[in-house]
Amino acid sequence: MVTNKKNNSSKPVIEIKEMHKWFGNFHVLKNITLKVNQGERIVICGPSGSGKSTLIRCINRLEVHQQGDIIVNDIELSGDLKNLEAIRREVGMVFQSFNLFPHLSVLENCTLAPIWVRGLPKKEAEEMAMELLTKVKIPEQALKFPGQLSGGQQQRVAIARSLCMEPKIMLFDEPTSALDPEMIKEVLDTMIELAESGMTMLVVTHEMGFAKKVADSIIFMDEGEIIEQNNPKTFFNNPENERTKLFLSQILNH
Amino acid sequence: MIKELYKPGSYPNLAPPKGTVGFYGWTKSNLFSSLSNSLLTIFSFILLYFLIDGIIGWFFLDAVFDADSKIECRKIDSGACWAVITRRVGQFIYGFYPDAERWRIDIVFIGLFFASAPLLYPDLPLRRWLLWFSGFYPFIAFILINGGLFGLVSIEINLFGGFMLTLIIGVSGIVCSLPLGIMLALGRQSKLTFVRSISVCFIEFMRGVPLITLLFVASSMLNYFMPPGTNFSILVRVIIMFTFFAAAYIAEVIRGGIQAIPKGQYEAAESLGMTYWQTTRFITLPQAMKISIPGIVNTFIGLYKDTTLVIVIGLLDPLGIGRAALADTKWNGLSTETYLFVALFFFVSCFAMSRYSLWLENKLNTDHR
Ligand SMILES: Nc1ncnc2c1ncn2[C@@H]1O[C@H](COP(=O)(O)OP(=O)(O)O)[C@@H](O)[C@H]1O
Ligand SMILES: [Mg+2]
């Protein structure tokens, strides 16, 4: 088990209150209420189409909610553009399909935003990028292009790229779903290390081994609602909700 | 034949069977793979021999390179009469630009080489210094060509002509239409309705009108639309029209490139906190331009060849000079030689552009190196 380093005087870094979202007429997120404390690791699971991606994309405002509040790092998400960039600086995101910039080298992928968004001098940004690439164990690939790397390596670059912005919160949207089985572990190991360093993480994943090992709490979503939120032990051994039970039996029994 | 036995895991990498690779393998599989293919190959080689023999004879061996008229040419030999070109080569290059001032155009030609090199080849040594020169070059070229400053004799525009005219219109059109095309492509994708509408109208109008009508407009009435007091020379008006026309096409090519970029690229950029302009500059345009290179160069080649249309408004490009030469009773009837020569000039320029675009595409290919 990963030791829990969160401080107990904790004030939530993410607070979502009675939030609703629609795509046109489609009510995709319903009455979401969620608190995430500094250093907390939360795993979100649920069937496909249940709104997991939409929920975490609302947190860095890749999607816009229509009702309720989302407060990230004391900043309320609203239409104000200034807040928007302040939020995105604090929140890193890792995508299922990596989304590396194919025309830039691995190193440039990592330094672009620090130089232009944070205003770091190039040399400093490169030093930090190399440090983080070492942390995800691919410093030797720094001058290659993303297309020359394996899926697992690309996803680790994507993690390093996000970390280069020194975010307070990291969002992961099914980071291992597009990977071949032998590469899943290298990415999960990187994420476990990150969790151990005390990063606040929201992870959408079906890797239940990872959830058991790392999560402080697990959320089960279905049809746009948070059906159940529990600590891993209760979640896996005594789930409260029938639908959670059914879902767990489906993904664990094969 | 006894096969060697290898332990599992120790099987060596063997060479491929004889005759399947290399020159012999290639020849066999491409030229002589079957009886009919072999016959076809032999037949083609024979045909090629006679063709080339005839072509070389007409173009070079039996050709006449200097004579006073077509009749004299025919007296000397039976091949091409290149005298029509060699006697007027000055006109083909400089139009009617006065002999004594042609050195100015020579400098402009040589300068063009040094000004374009750093733009075309990003890895060039001393590129940074040459780029400064590229920046100043248009002004230097303008003053040299036009004159009237620094004691240079002012030259009337109706004396411009030949390759010099093609290059002035072609290069200016290419250089100006690219940035305008990029702006139009971005404008067409803009969230601002006003910007988007203007871009769409401009693009659709320019693409929906024959270039030749735009040239007539340029020659007769463009000054009505300009702010009062301005009076652009005909050449500037023609260049503006070529620029607008090509920019509309380039905008559409680039829009295709922009639309080919996966949504995830924008999401990644946004989630890193990049603004619209940062995303456009570092993520959207580099990728869209790379995809659009073949289409853009295609448009450039089209623009370059379309410069021959200026003949309809009385400007004499190489084609016009050629026609003028043919109108001369001395050279009457040498249209094959004249038009071939003009065609060759355009072919060389356009082929160079095409090769450059291939080279650039290869250089920018980062997918699997
Ligand atoms: N941009 C969109 N426009 C309309 N519907 C969408 C959009 N994105 C997602 N959806 C729909 O919203 C629902 C939730 O999607 P998503 O959050 O991606 O689910 P999950 O990540 O749990 O699989 C799905 O039914 C999906 O079809
Ligand atoms: Mg999803």
Side-chain angles (χ1 to χ4, degrees):
Chain A
M1 284 288 272
V2 172
T3 46
N4 194 342
K5 281 184 191 164
K6 76 181 162 196
N7 54 4
N8 286 336
S9 65
S10 53
K11 202 165 94 195
V13 283
I14 302 174
E15 197 168 5
I16 303 178
K17 273 186 280 188
E18 295 168 13
M19 186 268 278
H20 294 256
K21 167 156 185 67
W22 289 263
F23 281 124
N25 287 324
F26 175 47
H27 199 170
V28 58
L29 292 177
K30 301 166 183 163
N31 201 34
I32 303 287
T33 297
L34 173 65
K35 269 185 194 167
V36 183
N37 291 322
Q38 176 78 49
E40 204 170 7
R41 275 92 48 165
I42 294 187
V43 164
I44 303 171
C45 59
S48 171
S50 56
K52 310 176 296 290
S53 301
T54 310
L55 173 60
I56 65 166
R57 288 157 63 88
C58 280
I59 293 172
N60 68 350
R61 214 163 171 78
L62 284 180
E63 301 288 357
V64 177
H65 64 284
Q66 281 98 4
Q67 196 181 314
D69 301 321
I70 303 179
I71 299 161
V72 180
N73 216 15
D74 285 331
I75 304 173
E76 169 143 19
L77 296 199
S78 61
D80 190 344
L81 195 76
K82 234 182 190 166
N83 284 355
L84 188 62
E85 266 139 30
I87 300 283
R88 287 187 177 150
R89 247 178 250 196
E90 306 297 338
V91 183
M93 183 151 191
V94 175
F95 302 85
Q96 180 177 346
S97 49
F98 327 137
N99 295 348
L100 293 177
F101 305 130
H103 60 300
L104 300 177
S105 71
V106 164
L107 188 65
E108 288 164 335
N109 262 277
C110 292
T111 56
L112 183 66
I115 291 172
W116 291 96
V117 178
R118 289 180 57 203
L120 285 190
K122 186 169 176 216
K123 194 156 165 277
E124 219 170 286
E126 280 178 353
E127 276 166 15
M128 187 174 66
M130 285 313 295
E131 209 172 282
L132 285 162
L133 286 174
T134 312
K135 218 169 171 182
V136 301
K137 303 193 177 64
I138 33 176
E140 73 281 2
Q141 313 283 5
L143 297 180
K144 289 196 185 166
F145 286 92
Q148 297 167 293
L149 306 187
S150 73
Q153 290 173 322
Q154 290 192 45
Q155 193 60 297
R156 283 183 286 151
V157 172
I159 294 173
R161 178 177 71 175
S162 284
L163 293 176
C164 282
M165 289 297 287
E166 304 195 311
K168 293 212 173 72
I169 302 158
M170 284 288 285
L171 308 173
F172 292 84
D173 191 358
E174 307 207 31
T176 57
S177 300
L179 296 177
D180 293 336
E182 77 266 25
M183 296 171 186
I184 292 179
K185 187 175 176 298
E186 62 187 54
V187 171
L188 289 180
D189 285 347
T190 307
M191 290 167 62
I192 291 171
E193 234 169 76
L194 188 61
E196 281 167 349
S197 73
M199 177 65 76
T200 310
M201 293 164 66
L202 265 84
V203 185
V204 175
T205 184
H206 292 153
E207 295 293 332
M208 288 305 142
F210 172 81
K212 274 180 199 161
K213 198 166 181 182
V214 168
D216 297 310
S217 114
I218 303 183
I219 288 174
F220 175 68
M221 284 186 74
D222 196 7
E223 297 186 1
E225 280 183 275
I226 293 184
I227 305 281
E228 179 163 354
Q229 174 167 18
N230 247 324
N231 62 347
K233 224 177 203 166
T234 322
F235 188 87
F236 287 113
N237 300 334
N238 304 305
E240 287 161 11
N241 191 289
E242 281 307 311
R243 277 197 266 177
T244 318
K245 271 182 211 165
L246 184 64
F247 177 75
L248 284 177
S249 72
Q250 278 166 347
I251 64 165
L252 295 178
N253 293 341
H254 67 112
Chain B
M1 205 169 108
I2 302 165
K3 295 225 166 137
E4 270 186 75
L5 290 174
Y6 296 107
K7 264 193 266 158
S10 68
Y11 207 99
N13 297 320
L14 304 176
K18 267 212 175 107
T20 56
V21 292
F23 173 75
Y24 181 76
W26 184 90
T27 312
K28 194 175 162 208
S29 64
N30 287 288
L31 300 179
F32 300 101
S33 61
S34 65
L35 181 66
S36 56
N37 190 355
S38 308
L39 287 176
L40 209 61
T41 301
I42 292 167
F43 178 71
S44 307
F45 273 118
I46 293 171
L47 199 72
L48 218 58
Y49 170 77
F50 283 113
L51 250 165
I52 290 178
D53 193 41
I55 288 174
I56 289 181
W58 187 83
F59 269 82
F60 304 107
L61 303 180
D62 306 333
V64 180
F65 291 90
D66 195 27
D68 284 329
S69 69
K70 185 189 170 190
I71 301 172
E72 234 177 76
C73 265
R74 288 290 171 265
K75 278 186 199 148
I76 300 172
D77 212 334
S78 62
C81 177
W82 296 119
V84 60
I85 309 297
T86 50
R87 281 292 164 98
R88 293 186 173 230
V89 73
Q91 271 185 29
F92 273 105
I93 298 174
Y94 307 98
F96 304 98
Y97 212 81
D99 279 350
E101 303 296 327
R102 284 181 178 173
W103 60 270
R104 282 154 55 174
I105 305 301
D106 293 336
I107 295 181
V108 170
F109 285 157
I110 296 167
L112 180 64
F113 179 79
F114 286 101
S116 55
L119 297 171
L120 298 177
Y121 297 99
D123 300 333
L124 207 69
L126 298 177
R127 178 166 188 253
R128 200 177 279 209
W129 299 104
L130 281 171
L131 274 176
W132 277 101
F133 177 65
S134 308
F136 285 116
Y137 175 75
F139 304 102
I140 300 171
F142 179 81
I143 292 169
L144 277 171
I145 294 172
N146 229 28
L149 274 174
F150 306 116
L152 295 170
V153 187
S154 178
I155 310 287
E156 289 290 315
I157 282 174
N158 53 21
L159 298 179
F160 295 7
F163 300 145
M164 164 198 149
L165 188 66
T166 304
L167 278 178
I168 292 175
I169 300 174
V171 173
S172 315
I174 286 172
V175 170
C176 302
S177 62
L178 187 60
L180 184 62
I182 292 173
M183 281 184 336
L184 286 169
L186 292 175
R188 188 163 191 168
Q189 304 285 78
S190 168
K191 287 192 186 106
L192 309 170
T193 319
F194 181 68
V195 175
R196 196 174 56 239
S197 319
I198 293 208
S199 310
V200 171
C201 290
F202 185 94
I203 292 169
E204 296 303 341
F205 177 75
M206 285 297 162
R207 284 202 310 165
V209 174
L211 177 57
I212 202 160
T213 44
L214 294 177
L215 292 180
F216 281 128
V217 169
S219 78
S220 57
M221 52 193 282
L222 193 68
N223 272 333
Y224 288 125
F225 301 118
M226 293 295 168
T230 55
N231 187 13
F232 289 123
S233 76
I234 177 75
L235 195 55
V236 174
R237 285 180 271 154
V238 163
I239 289 172
I240 289 175
M241 283 309 180
F242 272 100
T243 301
F244 284 179
F245 190 76
Y249 280 88
I250 288 174
E252 286 299 275
V253 170
I254 295 178
R255 182 168 69 105
I258 292 176
Q259 281 171 346
I261 298 174
K263 208 167 139 242
Q265 292 288 304
Y266 301 112
E267 293 179 349
E270 272 181 55
S271 73
L272 288 166
M274 290 165 68
T275 62
Y276 169 80
W277 285 110
Q278 287 169 345
T279 309
T280 300
R281 175 171 164 201
F282 298 115
I283 310 300
T284 317
L285 279 184
Q287 294 188 60
M289 297 297 286
K290 191 174 102 184
I291 305 174
S292 314
I293 290 171
I296 293 175
V297 173
N298 207 13
T299 312
F300 284 166
I301 289 178
L303 181 154
Y304 193 77
K305 290 190 299 184
D306 282 348
T307 56
T308 49
L309 287 175
V310 296
I311 201 168
V312 301
I313 56 170
L315 296 177
L316 290 186
D317 80 316
L319 199 56
I321 299 281
R323 291 178 65 89
L326 291 174
D328 185 337
T329 43
K330 276 195 297 186
W331 307 111
N332 237 324
L334 290 176
S335 43
T336 312
E337 285 85 346
T338 311
Y339 292 138
L340 268 178
F341 175 70
V342 174
L344 182 72
F345 162 72
F346 279 100
F347 176 76
V348 168
S349 323
C350 295
F351 188 64
M353 283 192 244
S354 154
R355 287 282 109 180
Y356 172 75
S357 103
L358 274 184
W359 175 85
L360 191 64
E361 263 177 81
N362 256 329
K363 184 179 158 54
L364 296 180
N365 178 16
T366 55
D367 296 344
H368 9 246
R369 265 209 284 222

